[in-house]
Amino acid sequence: MAMFRLQGSKVLAVEMTGDAVKAKNGSMVAYDGQMSFKKLTGGGEGLRGMVTRRLTGEQMTVMEVKGHGTCWFADRASEINLVGLQGDKLYVESSNLLVTDAGLRTGTTFTGLRGASQGNGLFTTTVEGHGQAAIMSDGPAVVLRVSPQYPLIVDPGAYIAHQGDVRQSFQSGVTFRTLFGEGGGEAFQIRFEGDGLVYVQPSERNTIAGDL
């Protein structure tokens, strides 16, 4: 299995000894040793993944990197966060996914209105299995715990990913910025209940929720 190692907070070094990883197309910034690169149409998810992404207009071009040596990845100076999976599933916005172990299964899942609020279609990316994934954030990500006693409310523009036994729903109401008379007037929030983790970033992406 490839070894993931952060160099600083914005560059990921992946050491491979014949292993392979899947990475966001164009995110490789340097490598040493012997490496091969192959574009995976549809994110390597098969026909269903290709169809759902075409229907939703969500773009996720992935490449497979395989070989012996070290490959470095980065994307627009984004902060990189490592997530270890032990047979569980990670839900992540496709634009925030940088690199995964090749053995991890990627796919798409229906997320309803929450996906629509972000302008990324009605599907989000899933990563499942045993291995590591690297996700990106605009600024240092914060990992927040959701417990049965304490549901978590998140602004749609700040959401990156979540994992664990977590249920999500989309609820109307003012967001934090509009509560104080700032921002674009987004009128929806994401509510997480259950037991798990939610990853948020300190900078909000543009969403269309304010127009709904």
Side-chain angles (χ1 to χ4, degrees):
M1 186 176 294
M3 180 177 295
F4 288 36
R5 175 169 48 87
L6 287 177
Q7 293 196 249
S9 61
K10 299 181 180 181
V11 178
L12 173 69
V14 180
E15 299 174 6
M16 288 176 273
T17 55
D19 317 282
V21 297
K22 290 181 285 189
K24 183 176 182 179
N25 197 43
S27 62
M28 187 275 295
V29 295
Y31 73 90
D32 62 22
Q34 299 294 322
M35 296 287 173
S36 63
F37 302 87
K38 180 174 68 174
K39 183 177 180 180
L40 300 176
T41 304
E45 301 162 346
L47 182 60
R48 181 177 178 276
M50 294 171 63
V51 171
T52 55
R53 294 200 182 283
R54 185 174 296 116
L55 288 175
T56 61
E58 186 172 315
Q59 300 299 315
M60 184 185 178
T61 307
V62 177
M63 62 181 178
E64 181 187 71
V65 184
K66 184 177 183 179
H68 293 78
T70 302
C71 196
W72 288 268
F73 300 92
D75 186 63
R76 301 181 183 180
S78 297
E79 300 280 336
I80 301 172
N81 314 271
L82 296 183
V83 180
L85 297 176
Q86 302 296 325
D88 51 329
K89 184 181 293 186
L90 174 72
Y91 297 81
V92 57
E93 292 299 316
S94 64
S95 59
N96 294 97
L97 185 61
L98 181 64
V99 182
T100 66
D101 277 316
L104 292 173
R105 300 181 299 278
T106 56
T108 54
T109 188
F110 181 73
T111 54
L113 290 175
R114 188 205 57 74
S117 75
Q118 303 200 182
N120 289 340
L122 297 179
F123 292 82
T124 195
T125 297
T126 59
V127 183
E128 186 175 10
H130 291 80
Q132 284 193 297
I135 61 177
M136 298 179 292
S137 57
D138 186 2
V142 178
V143 184
L144 303 175
R145 166 68 65 177
V146 179
S147 67
Q149 296 84 6
Y150 297 101
L152 182 69
I153 310 299
V154 177
D155 190 299
Y159 168 82
I160 301 173
H162 73 272
Q163 64 184 132
D165 184 16
V166 175
R167 302 176 305 280
Q168 63 179 28
S169 58
F170 209 53
Q171 65 182 36
S172 60
V174 297
T175 62
F176 308 120
R177 290 185 301 169
T178 54
L179 182 64
F180 295 100
E182 301 175 355
E186 294 168 334
F188 294 91
Q189 303 164 333
I190 314 171
R191 180 183 178 91
F192 293 95
E193 298 176 275
D195 187 10
L197 303 174
V198 177
Y199 299 78
V200 298
Q201 62 184 7
S203 175
E204 292 183 294
R205 67 173 66 82
N206 292 328
T207 73
I208 62 171
D211 298 329
L212 297 177

